[in-house]
Amino acid sequence: MLETLDAAAVRRWCASGLTALRTHQGEIDDLNVYPVPDGDTGTNLVLTLTSAQQALAMDLGTLPDDGHTPHGHALRLMARGALLGARGNSGVILSQILRGLADTLAAVPAVRGRQLADALADATTAAYAAVARPVEGTLLSVVAAAAHAARRADSDDLRAVARAAAEEAAHALARTPEQLPELARAGVVDAGGRGLCLLLDALVEVITGESPAQPAPAPPARRAPVTAVRESGSDAYAYEVQYLLDATDEAVTRLRAKLDALGDSLAIVGDGAGTWNVHVHVNDIGAAVEAGVVAGRPHRISVTRFADQGAPAPQASLPEGRAAVVVATGAGIAELFAAEGAVVVPANPSTGELLDAIRATGAARVVVLPNDPNTQSVASAAAKEAHGLGVKVSVVPTRSPVQALAALAVRDPKRRFEDDVIAMAEAAGACRYAEVCHAAREALTVAGPARPGDVLALVEGEVHLIGQDLVDTCTAVVDRMLGGGGELVTLLCGADAPAGLADRVRAHVEGAWPFVEVQAYEGGQPHYPLLVGVE
């Protein structure tokens, strides 16, 4: 039994809590009352705490020169790892509970009962502050009840305070159906609260060496999905957008107001050092990401469409789970990839950023689509690093977003992963691509000399046409590509494309090539008014 909470105990608590969450992951997922990825609370909590444990495992045992104790340093590592790996609303809130504990206990010489009670109170404050519109009957109610019980214990006995917190958390969990009618109608308790109870039970076991006495809530009876409420927020919004953001406090204040007007289930939490985890449900993905770009530097962007998910737990929680990571420039292109169920990473990522995105999927098999020759080597390096973590990654060497769209269109989870990768690579290879841009400087190309301002049409990376008029050059390059055959033309209009560009190219194709289908989208990519794909 422990009299105080030391660094070794913190590490054991993280490992034991993660084991408990993994054991009950399916049960917690089944507690959800809306079958969407943000509602897969068990999976999200597992992925969040896995990131926390990885942060602890990467520590070399050296203390920073900031006056923190060994247990405080361990708690800070755990909290930051959870923040960087937080998934879903429940994961974001958990990361703030851990941060509240770390902030309070970091410099405390000895963690006894009253110190733990103070830390739980601060953790509750941080958890409520993380959510734009707190709702009772959720994880928030459970952590608040645990904190109140710890304060009421009024003891320096660490064991007594931990037991009081865990027991009251269990009682608060049982009361959640009384606070949320949706839970009562579904006949379940709150999923996030159930996960927190498991973590508090694990803390009690680490401190006392004994398993908690209170029984776990019985798993829910089998029932039809209830389309009443998600883990948080309404069903009026189709996408979950989440990203890390490097930004100032002032910029985040403005971002909070912007995102609050775009959607719901908003949670923005920081680590105190300029890194924030942003989570929101929206219909306009581009606006949510662009708001992050205005505020600072977003990275690890993840977009999930709720309609793609069913009642079962997502593939990411399964040993054979699959995922796709795609590099994209332009909000419209990112939205197209997200609609195909891919995790989107901003252009020109580092190896670490790609590796982070791969790990964040939680899948055992991941395909990466770099969409740029310069990113292929980075993607290959990330794939090698991921292999060391037990994740099998295959890189499909796409050189343009139109090739990635062709590859994602043929994905089939029923195929063997290796066969699926081959099919995606074949689809990407069968899609010829072109880029239209303006020359930035004088150059001698295979199509002749180019001067600043000339319109250049590049096919497969090689300049094929030089023109003066943007529309004429765009239609000419499409004609040249269709001269070699093709049934489908994909047009991605850039951020600087003039109004009506896609319509004029489409009209030309319909007149000159009547049996060819044309699909046009707002890609939003910089520098290139038009990207063309021909299949």
Side-chain angles (χ1 to χ4, degrees):
M1 292 188 292
L2 299 178
E3 298 293 335
T4 63
L5 190 70
D6 57 19
V10 171
R11 292 174 180 275
R12 291 200 303 275
W13 175 41
C14 186
S16 179
L18 181 56
T19 298
L21 287 175
R22 283 174 172 161
T23 300
H24 296 273
Q25 179 176 340
E27 170 202 326
I28 298 174
D29 282 342
D30 286 343
L31 291 174
N32 293 302
V33 293
Y34 196 93
V36 297
D38 194 64
D40 291 313
T41 309
T43 299
N44 288 339
L45 290 175
V46 165
L47 294 173
T48 301
L49 204 60
T50 296
S51 182
Q53 188 182 51
Q54 288 170 343
L56 283 171
M58 292 175 65
D59 178 41
L60 299 178
T62 58
L63 287 176
D65 187 20
D66 55 9
H68 293 159
T69 59
H71 64 262
H73 179 56
L75 283 167
R76 282 202 176 280
L77 287 172
M78 189 175 171
R80 178 164 174 78
L83 173 75
L84 297 181
R87 291 286 293 271
N89 212 47
S90 56
V92 171
I93 294 174
L94 175 60
S95 76
Q96 289 309 281
I97 291 174
L98 294 175
R99 183 186 173 189
L101 294 173
D103 286 349
T104 303
L105 301 176
V108 173
V111 181
R112 294 189 172 88
R114 286 188 171 83
Q115 288 75 33
L116 177 60
D118 290 342
L120 284 171
D122 290 343
T124 299
T125 300
Y128 274 84
V131 182
R133 301 183 184 92
V135 176
E136 298 303 325
T138 64
L139 169 58
L140 298 175
S141 303
V142 177
V143 69
H148 291 153
R151 280 277 174 85
R152 286 197 305 269
D154 193 24
S155 172
D156 281 329
D157 188 330
L158 181 64
R159 294 161 293 182
V161 171
R163 283 195 182 105
E167 289 171 2
E168 185 56 34
H171 294 150
L173 176 65
R175 293 193 297 269
T176 55
E178 302 170 14
Q179 297 170 289
L180 270 182
E182 294 86 354
L183 296 175
R185 285 197 296 269
V188 298
V189 295
D190 179 69
R194 172 65 175 127
L196 180 64
C197 285
L198 289 171
L199 292 179
L200 291 174
D201 288 348
L203 180 61
V204 170
E205 189 167 359
V206 167
I207 292 172
T208 66
E210 303 171 357
S211 298
Q214 70 269 17
R222 293 184 62 87
R223 65 192 191 286
V226 178
T227 56
V229 67
R230 298 172 177 165
E231 181 184 350
S232 64
S234 75
D235 57 3
Y237 299 100
Y239 298 93
E240 176 193 41
V241 177
Q242 192 163 355
Y243 50 82
L244 295 180
L245 179 72
D246 297 334
T248 64
D249 292 359
E250 293 78 10
V252 169
T253 298
R254 294 190 293 270
L255 174 66
R256 198 183 299 272
K258 176 68 174 177
L259 293 181
D260 192 39
L262 287 175
D264 71 0
S265 191
L266 173 63
I268 303 179
V269 298
D271 66 349
T275 299
W276 306 79
N277 191 307
V278 180
H279 172 281
V280 68
H281 294 175
V282 295
N283 287 325
D284 191 339
I285 298 170
V289 175
E290 287 170 3
V293 172
V294 171
R297 187 181 75 89
H299 49 108
R300 283 205 214 172
I301 300 172
S302 173
V303 182
T304 307
R305 186 172 70 170
F306 295 137
D308 290 336
Q309 303 297 319
Q315 289 277 335
S317 66
L318 304 175
E320 295 298 317
R322 299 185 192 179
V325 173
V326 189
V327 180
T329 300
I333 293 176
E335 186 170 343
L336 288 173
F337 289 145
E340 294 291 339
V343 173
V344 181
V345 179
N348 196 31
S350 66
T351 300
E353 287 171 334
L354 269 181
L355 181 61
D356 287 343
I358 292 168
R359 289 167 53 188
T361 66
R365 287 169 170 77
V366 179
V367 62
V368 176
L369 307 172
N371 295 339
D372 180 353
N374 295 327
T375 306
Q376 289 186 25
S377 58
V378 175
S380 297
K384 291 179 182 178
E385 292 294 323
H387 181 74
L389 300 174
V391 181
K392 184 173 183 178
V393 178
S394 292
V395 179
V396 175
T398 52
R399 293 171 172 263
S400 171
V402 293
Q403 289 187 319
L405 289 173
L408 291 171
V410 301
R411 276 199 305 169
D412 184 354
K414 296 179 181 179
R415 281 194 292 247
R416 290 175 59 248
F417 177 71
E418 293 78 6
D419 294 338
D420 210 28
V421 170
I422 292 172
M424 293 175 71
E426 289 176 343
C431 178
R432 287 165 289 142
Y433 69 94
E435 304 153 313
V436 181
C437 64
H438 290 90
R441 62 183 64 87
E442 289 189 9
L444 184 61
T445 74
V446 296
R451 297 176 179 84
D454 285 349
V455 182
L456 307 181
L458 295 81
V459 178
E460 307 284 332
E462 194 80 43
V463 177
H464 276 226
L465 295 171
I466 301 175
Q468 301 302 313
D469 181 81
L470 178 62
V471 175
D472 289 346
T473 306
C474 289
T475 55
V477 75
V478 172
D479 285 341
R480 179 165 295 196
M481 296 175 74
L482 287 174
E487 300 174 349
L488 172 65
V489 173
T490 301
L491 306 175
L492 297 178
C493 289
D496 300 325
L501 176 61
D503 291 337
R504 295 180 67 178
V505 175
R506 182 200 298 273
H508 172 81
V509 173
E510 289 175 348
W513 307 89
F515 299 106
V516 175
E517 179 184 354
V518 180
Q519 295 179 343
Y521 307 97
E522 291 295 329
Q525 70 274 4
H527 311 308
Y528 295 94
L530 190 68
L531 299 179
V532 182
V534 173
E535 303 173 55

